Amino acid sequence: MDRTMEIILSRVQKPARYTGGEYNAVVKDRKKVDTRVALCFPDTYEIGMSNLGVRILYGVMNEMPGVWCERVFAPWGDMEEEMRREGISLYGLESGDPIEDFDIIGFSLGYEMAYSNVLNMLDLAGLPLRTEDRDEESPLIIAGGTCAYDPEPLAPFVDVFSLGEGEEVTVELIELFRRGRREGWSRQELLLAAAQIPGLYVPSLYEVTYRPDGTVDQVRPKPGAPELVTKRIVQDFDKAYFPVKTIVPSTEIVHDRVMLEVFRGCIRGCRFCQAGYAYRPVRSRDPKRLVEQGIAACKDSGYQEITLSSLSTSDYRPLEGLCDGLLEWCEPNKVSLSLPSLRADNFSMGLMERVQHVRKSGLTFAPEAGTQRLRDAINKNVTEEDLLNSCRTAFSGGWNAVKLYFMLGLPTETDEDVLGIADLARKVLQTWREHAPDKRRGCRITVSTSCFVPKPHTAFQWEPQVTREEYLRRVKLLRDNMRDRSITYHWHDPDTSFLEAVFARGDRRVADVIETAWRMGAKFDSWSEYFDMDRWLQAFQRCGLSPEFYANRARDREEVLPWSRVSTGVRADFLWHEREMAYQAVITPDCRKQCTGCGANMLLRKGDVCDA
């Protein structure tokens, strides 16, 4: 580390974010490497290092001979200020080299509110923001993650979007890049070749036109571009790469533990949930393999906690056997085991008691809606009795704290549904009063609400978001009817949810707004310290666009959606049918009870079946 960097790090918060050198970080000999990749996460070190996908891709790429992947995180404001003052470009943590000299720069996009940070990181790297302004020597800019399912708001800034799971397609793209360099391809030839790889969307190969009313008229493929780009999935998930030798951070991060991904996909089909549709079909890992991986990862890293990761962990069929296998090693070694993503309809007290011998945590459930009618409309498939039975079991077993998560503004929601949240919270409290063996500690019930955000590739992708004013009216209605001292109510800021809806369903014109807001100072918009709603509204005004047009407007079935050239494998007619069932408050059985024929199974190899 040079003297300038030493001086800078002495002046910033959490300097360990920027030094690298962690245990298990991969450092390679530059002379033996022909392709360098910067894996960028557009948020702080603490957030990015908690992302399992980043750890997986980091390991996959570094296992490739001749390829060196380094991590890059968004510097906090104090560090950015020092870097700009001293003329220090954004650099890879492993080598300290400027990433503008790398071959490929990849962004992991997990949250729309990080878009301004993507631009800020490109600028800190000394690179032109827009693809059209980069030359033949510029790094290839790629992006993936759940936000890539509507790539259009970032389309002018990104060369290639990777749709779906990246373990296999990332390797294919890197090998294509290496081939193109050997054979002297132009940048355009490389992009055209990349578009032929299933799962890769090259936005510059599609021309977008608009109607007089502002809606999209066409997203027209140019010669050589596929009509539709469908996501990639890992076919044999059981044998897919898992980072046993994971990087051990040198400072505290959000999820400082071993994360075991037990399965991908979800059997439930909640109509609001993008992940539930996007990660289909269901594919599981063998419990014996998971036990081996969990123990090996703990031994290598020294972590004292294992968490079982999935969209709905309690839906993993061999869950009890997996927990028993892990606990046989965890208990004598004082390693705790946590089970997030529990559902109220299959909560097991016996299981919770077994896994919490080492450390007892609180319970969290997500009913999402306050009445059965609305839960049926969103296809939550959880009843009030399911929730109260689970709470009764937990309170009888000595638990005295429960967190309940809901959304306000769901399609078809009425004031009766809003008040149903308060009523349900009171029933949970009454359940504690009737069944808790020891009431001296009291009861803590935390109710949290967020504003519903319609997402692409869901049954509600055509729905409007309620206005910010209407959301706050419903918050007040709920707050005024929930005054028991044992119940605490928190609600999410509607401004960030509003912009999330804009970006989630935005078209290519929104890119101008993102760039304008960034030039006005926007960055770290998911952090209250930096977020400025007025700045974003000014940016929309300068670009002649209405954010309400994107967030608060219903779409009809015939409208061309900006993301119409990309697919999760779930058919659009299936999603529309699910929307119609929502307005009738009719549930669709989960995938284990009845295959819904959504189309995702077609992504599997011939002869393979969904694990649901």
Side-chain angles (χ1 to χ4, degrees):
M1 184 184 300
D2 63 30
R3 179 62 180 162
T4 300
M5 186 61 75
E6 287 183 4
I7 295 172
I8 285 175
L9 292 179
S10 70
R11 296 199 293 251
V12 302
Q13 302 176 47
K14 300 184 179 180
R17 290 168 165 169
Y18 313 110
T19 58
E22 307 99 320
Y23 180 71
N24 279 339
V26 177
V27 177
K28 296 190 177 184
D29 186 345
R30 292 178 180 84
K31 297 177 182 178
K32 297 180 181 179
V33 170
D34 61 60
T35 304
R36 299 186 68 178
V37 182
L39 180 56
C40 298
F41 193 89
D43 211 317
T44 64
Y45 177 95
E46 294 92 322
I47 304 295
M49 281 299 296
S50 300
N51 185 282
L52 180 59
V54 168
R55 292 175 180 262
I56 289 173
L57 290 178
Y58 179 83
V60 166
M61 286 187 273
N62 278 316
E63 284 199 342
M64 299 176 67
V67 176
W68 187 10
C69 173
E70 301 188 42
R71 296 159 298 137
V72 186
F73 303 100
W76 193 246
D78 56 352
M79 182 62 175
E80 179 190 343
E81 183 179 341
E82 297 286 350
M83 291 172 66
R84 292 190 184 276
R85 180 186 297 118
E86 299 293 337
I88 298 174
S89 296
L90 195 63
Y91 57 89
L93 276 185
E94 280 69 14
S95 67
D97 295 338
I99 65 170
E100 63 182 318
D101 298 331
F102 285 33
D103 302 292
I104 299 172
I105 296 176
F107 285 92
S108 176
L109 305 174
Y111 184 35
E112 291 84 356
M113 298 308 292
Y115 286 175
S116 58
N117 268 7
V118 172
L119 272 60
N120 203 44
M121 292 175 77
L122 287 172
D123 183 69
L124 275 169
L127 295 168
L129 300 184
R130 295 186 177 245
T131 59
E132 62 188 14
D133 297 325
R134 300 182 198 127
D135 59 28
E136 293 289 326
E137 302 304 315
S138 296
L140 185 71
I141 308 299
I142 65 176
T146 52
C147 292
Y149 287 116
D150 179 12
E152 294 305 287
L154 289 181
F157 313 115
V158 175
D159 295 313
V160 181
F161 284 92
S162 177
L163 303 179
E165 298 163 6
E167 289 96 324
E168 295 169 0
V169 70
T170 301
V171 173
E172 293 172 21
L173 177 57
I174 291 174
E175 292 296 359
L176 181 76
F177 177 89
R178 298 168 94 177
R179 178 188 167 194
R181 185 171 49 193
R182 288 194 305 269
E183 299 179 5
W185 295 356
S186 69
R187 195 177 189 87
Q188 188 59 30
E189 288 172 325
L190 173 63
L191 293 176
L192 191 58
Q196 313 313 309
I197 296 178
L200 296 183
Y201 175 76
V202 180
S204 62
L205 298 180
Y206 297 83
E207 183 180 0
V208 184
T209 56
Y210 301 92
R211 296 178 181 272
D213 64 0
T215 60
V216 175
D217 181 34
Q218 292 185 66
V219 183
R220 185 185 302 115
K222 296 179 181 179
E227 291 286 327
L228 186 69
V229 180
T230 302
K231 75 175 184 189
R232 290 286 292 274
I233 65 168
V234 174
Q235 296 288 340
D236 191 348
F237 177 63
D238 185 44
K239 296 180 181 178
Y241 176 85
F242 175 77
V244 170
K245 291 182 68 66
T246 190
I247 295 175
V248 181
S250 51
T251 187
E252 186 177 0
I253 63 174
V254 175
H255 299 304
D256 218 358
R257 62 191 72 130
V258 170
M259 290 177 280
L260 281 182
E261 191 180 14
V262 297
F263 69 90
R264 286 185 186 167
C266 184
I267 67 173
R268 297 293 176 169
C270 297
R271 291 170 178 138
F272 59 85
C273 181
Q274 185 184 53
Y277 290 113
Y279 287 105
R280 294 184 179 195
V282 175
R283 288 144 296 140
S284 303
R285 270 202 172 102
D286 180 82
K288 292 182 180 179
R289 187 185 301 273
L290 287 167
V291 170
E292 293 170 357
Q293 291 173 340
I295 294 173
C298 280
K299 286 181 176 179
D300 183 78
S301 64
Y303 276 129
Q304 293 297 300
E305 181 179 355
I306 298 175
T307 186
L308 303 185
S309 171
S310 73
L311 292 177
S312 180
T313 301
S314 52
D315 285 328
Y316 180 62
R317 279 197 176 104
L319 180 60
E320 294 201 12
L322 168 61
C323 291
D324 287 342
L326 287 169
L327 286 169
E328 187 176 332
W329 181 84
C330 287
E331 288 189 11
N333 288 281
K334 305 300 181 186
V335 173
S336 63
L337 181 62
S338 61
L339 299 178
S341 306
L342 294 176
R343 285 180 57 91
D345 59 342
N346 58 11
F347 174 79
S348 167
M349 189 64 201
L351 182 60
M352 288 300 295
E353 287 179 336
R354 291 208 299 277
V355 303
Q356 300 207 34
H357 281 172
V358 178
R359 188 177 70 192
K360 196 168 185 176
S361 63
L363 295 175
T364 300
F365 298 110
E368 308 292 2
T371 65
Q372 195 58 48
R373 183 206 65 80
L374 188 53
R375 284 192 292 274
D376 290 345
I378 65 176
N379 207 45
K380 184 63 182 178
N381 275 321
V382 169
T383 67
E384 178 180 295
E385 192 57 31
D386 289 330
L387 177 64
L388 296 181
N389 280 338
S390 294
C391 290
R392 185 180 303 120
T393 301
F395 293 148
S396 299
W399 267 258
N400 69 327
V402 175
K403 294 180 181 178
L404 302 174
Y405 286 96
F406 299 87
M407 279 185 282
L408 293 178
L410 286 161
T412 79
E413 184 180 70
T414 65
D415 283 359
E416 181 182 351
D417 299 310
V418 175
L419 294 173
I421 295 174
D423 184 57
L424 190 55
R426 284 191 291 269
K427 289 180 179 177
V428 170
L429 178 59
Q430 184 60 32
T431 300
W432 173 83
R433 287 170 175 158
E434 294 174 358
H435 296 278
D438 182 1
K439 299 180 176 61
R440 288 174 297 177
R441 293 183 299 158
C443 180
R444 298 189 310 277
I445 298 171
T446 303
V447 173
S448 297
T449 62
S450 61
C451 186
F452 162 69
V453 177
K455 294 280 184 159
H457 307 286
T458 70
F460 291 156
Q461 64 180 350
W462 296 275
E463 297 299 315
Q465 184 184 58
V466 298
T467 65
R468 289 171 288 160
E469 294 74 19
E470 174 59 20
Y471 170 74
L472 290 175
R473 185 193 71 81
R474 298 184 194 192
V475 166
K476 184 177 185 302
L477 176 65
L478 180 54
R479 184 184 61 204
D480 290 346
N481 284 273
M482 199 157 45
R483 295 188 176 277
D484 193 290
R485 287 182 299 176
S486 296
I487 303 174
T488 303
Y489 176 38
H490 301 294
W491 59 92
H492 189 266
D493 167 43
D495 288 343
T496 53
S497 295
F498 173 63
L499 282 181
E500 184 183 346
V502 172
F503 300 146
R505 297 195 297 177
D507 54 44
R508 203 165 289 196
R509 295 171 299 185
V510 173
D512 294 338
V513 179
I514 297 171
E515 182 175 351
T516 299
W518 170 75
R519 294 192 183 280
M520 295 168 64
K523 60 186 174 186
F524 282 109
D525 288 296
S526 60
W527 295 78
S528 60
E529 295 95 319
Y530 283 98
F531 178 71
D532 184 341
M533 187 64 181
D534 289 338
R535 177 165 48 211
W536 280 100
L537 294 177
Q538 290 176 34
F540 275 98
Q541 187 175 26
R542 291 186 185 183
C543 295
L545 292 175
S546 164
E548 292 81 8
F549 175 83
Y550 296 100
N552 306 134
R553 180 178 62 85
R555 279 76 165 153
D556 59 42
R557 189 175 185 179
E558 287 71 37
E559 181 172 335
V560 177
L561 301 175
W563 52 91
S564 59
R565 292 295 175 184
V566 303
S567 171
T568 64
V570 177
R571 301 191 324 273
D573 62 332
F574 171 82
L575 294 176
W576 184 265
H577 174 72
E578 284 294 294
R579 177 187 179 275
E580 291 178 326
M581 293 298 98
Y583 276 85
Q584 299 173 39
V586 174
I587 64 170
T588 298
D590 71 57
C591 298
R592 284 185 182 158
K593 295 178 181 176
Q594 175 186 326
C595 178
T596 57
C598 69
N601 275 355
M602 299 300 292
L603 299 171
L604 294 167
R605 292 176 300 210
K606 189 175 181 181
D608 288 347
V609 294
C610 174
D611 286 348

